[in-house]
Amino acid sequence: MIPLQEQGWQSQPWQWQLSHAVRDSETLLTALDLPASSTKSDFPVLVPWPYLAAMTPGDPNDPLLRQVLPVDEEQVVVNGYGPDPLDEHDKTPVKGVLHKYHGRILVIATGVCAVHCRYCFRRHFPYDDFRVSRTDWQNIAGYVRSQPDIREVILSGGDPLVANDQLLSWVAQQFASIPHVDTLRLHTRLPVVIPQRVCLELLDWIGESRLKIVVVIHANHGNEITDDVADAMHHLHQTGATLLNQSVLLKNINDRADLLTDLSWRLFHAGVLPYYLHLLDPVEGAHHFDVPESDGRDLVQEMSQRLPGYLVPKLVREKPGAGAKESISLTTN
Ligand code: SF4
């Protein structure tokens, strides 16, 4: 049993979970009955209690803990790893918008996340430049209206579900009023780390929108799909939303075929299909998570032998300046 300092957190709403998340290594490690760490980092610790509660007390190698605990390896400078691995800091035709892909735009809806993942490719992103006001949203909708080839708007971040449902519902209405927009996609890790985020207000506006809603969650390990997360996914599924998952291949966290296979099954039971397995983007401070492409290929090939095709994620990497993700072929030349 975790000696939770924040007793009673289970019954609190998601806003409370966000504002009371653990923000230092000492509290995190004490809650897990682990020795203190002296590692410092510019990318601060942020771990909500529901995510912490899914870790195993006393296990310094817990795969969820490893994703959020700063370690000294982050300070090691490695050639080829930079602050902006995807060269996306200047692809903004309108404030808040990254227009990298044909037919769809990505909006940095907020700079805030509910958890800080140590491997995050946007850990050095200048989020302060991307605070999106209501006027900015109207400008973004104006840009989308002027680009008839845009059929899908992707809300990313940070985590777009950090915003309240009143705002999100209004934003969805702005895009729903544009006839050529079909789909609103949400890239979010929030339901995985705070399943209470899938609240009635969220379900209401998603269920009522004329847009097709696609929710792409981000889970890397089967232990993240707790009963509460699975329940949240079932509720989302009932709104008619399409549910997909993207993972990052992470050394010593999920770089084994049995672990990835287990994740696919757990997602499937929760109504979510595995979508992408990303190779790590070479971001400064995350080199110790990197898994070679050849190992990634072997892992996905092994998964293909253990799973039906619809449960095998596509192995991909992002390339700076490319118009789409690069799909990694499973056969070597
Ligand atoms: S939730 Fe997503 S954007 Fe936020 S730190 Fe984690 S990986 Fe990065």
Side-chain angles (χ1 to χ4, degrees):
M1 180 65 190
I2 296 175
L4 292 176
Q5 278 80 349
E6 293 285 357
Q7 290 301 331
W9 58 269
Q10 292 94 334
S11 57
Q12 300 291 342
W14 67 271
Q15 295 91 339
W16 185 97
Q17 309 282 359
L18 262 185
S19 59
H20 287 73
V22 170
R23 290 171 190 273
D24 61 90
S25 299
E26 193 188 340
T27 308
L28 174 62
L29 292 167
T30 303
L32 292 168
D33 208 12
L34 286 167
S37 151
S38 56
T39 302
K40 301 268 179 280
S41 171
D42 292 342
F43 186 44
V45 168
L46 184 64
V47 188
W49 286 100
Y51 193 70
L52 200 164
M55 299 175 191
T56 305
D59 181 2
N61 296 317
D62 181 278
L64 279 54
L65 177 64
R66 278 178 175 271
Q67 294 181 53
V68 295
L69 180 68
V71 292
D72 290 340
E73 284 140 298
E74 291 181 21
Q75 308 305 329
V76 178
V77 176
V78 177
N79 266 347
Y81 292 77
D84 180 17
L86 303 184
D87 187 24
E88 63 178 9
H89 293 189
D90 60 355
K91 303 278 189 306
T92 55
V94 177
K95 186 180 171 192
V97 169
L98 295 177
H99 196 169
K100 298 197 291 181
Y101 304 122
H102 181 76
R104 53 204 189 275
I105 59 155
L106 186 139
V107 184
I108 303 292
T110 168
V112 180
C113 290
V115 63
H116 284 173
C117 313
R118 309 311 302 175
Y119 53 84
C120 180
F121 76 99
R122 293 206 178 112
R123 55 182 285 169
H124 306 287
F125 200 79
Y127 280 123
D128 283 348
D129 301 343
F130 282 90
R131 271 197 199 113
V132 180
S133 66
R134 283 212 179 211
T135 307
D136 295 326
W137 279 115
Q138 280 163 331
N139 292 337
I140 293 167
Y143 177 72
V144 173
R145 209 177 284 279
S146 72
Q147 306 275 319
D149 65 309
I150 295 176
R151 298 189 66 167
E152 182 175 42
V153 175
I154 304 169
L155 304 191
S156 185
D159 196 312
L161 289 192
V162 166
N164 67 55
D165 289 306
Q166 197 190 15
L167 176 68
L168 289 171
S169 165
W170 176 80
V171 167
Q173 284 165 23
Q174 303 302 303
F175 295 119
S177 71
I178 303 171
H180 57 263
V181 176
D182 295 323
T183 305
L184 182 67
R185 193 192 321 173
L186 305 167
H187 281 183
T188 177
R189 188 146 158 77
L190 236 157
V192 175
V193 299
I194 304 179
Q196 292 90 333
R197 178 62 187 92
V198 181
C199 58
L200 288 177
E201 291 79 8
L202 176 73
L203 296 170
D204 278 352
W205 74 257
I206 285 183
E208 285 165 9
S209 179
R210 84 138 179 100
L211 298 171
K212 181 72 190 157
I213 306 288
V214 180
V215 181
V216 184
I217 62 164
H218 170 180
N220 301 313
H221 192 281
N223 291 3
E224 293 177 327
I225 313 301
T226 61
D227 290 348
D228 287 345
V229 171
D231 283 349
M233 293 299 108
H234 286 305
H235 291 310
L236 267 177
H237 199 250
Q238 281 164 0
T239 65
T242 298
L243 306 182
L244 303 169
N245 180 62
Q246 52 185 344
S247 306
V248 182
L249 185 56
L250 299 166
K251 191 168 175 185
N252 294 328
I253 291 174
N254 62 3
D255 56 339
R256 283 182 9 213
D258 61 329
L259 295 176
L260 291 169
T261 300
D262 176 60
L263 172 62
S264 279
W265 278 119
R266 292 206 204 189
L267 287 165
F268 182 59
H269 285 292
V272 183
L273 284 176
Y275 176 36
Y276 283 138
L277 178 62
H278 288 261
L279 292 173
L280 187 84
D281 297 312
V283 65
E284 229 169 62
H287 68 96
H288 52 294
F289 290 113
D290 212 350
V291 176
E293 181 180 314
S294 56
D295 291 4
R297 260 197 241 114
D298 291 347
L299 282 169
V300 176
Q301 252 160 356
E302 208 174 325
M303 289 175 80
S304 310
Q305 285 158 15
R306 298 179 182 209
L307 288 165
Y310 56 87
L311 292 186
V312 181
K314 209 187 273 185
L315 184 65
V316 292
R317 79 156 79 244
E318 300 261 10
K319 281 245 161 133
K325 290 180 203 307
E326 182 193 7
S327 223
I328 310 285
S329 159
L330 296 188
T331 49
T332 46
N333 295 322

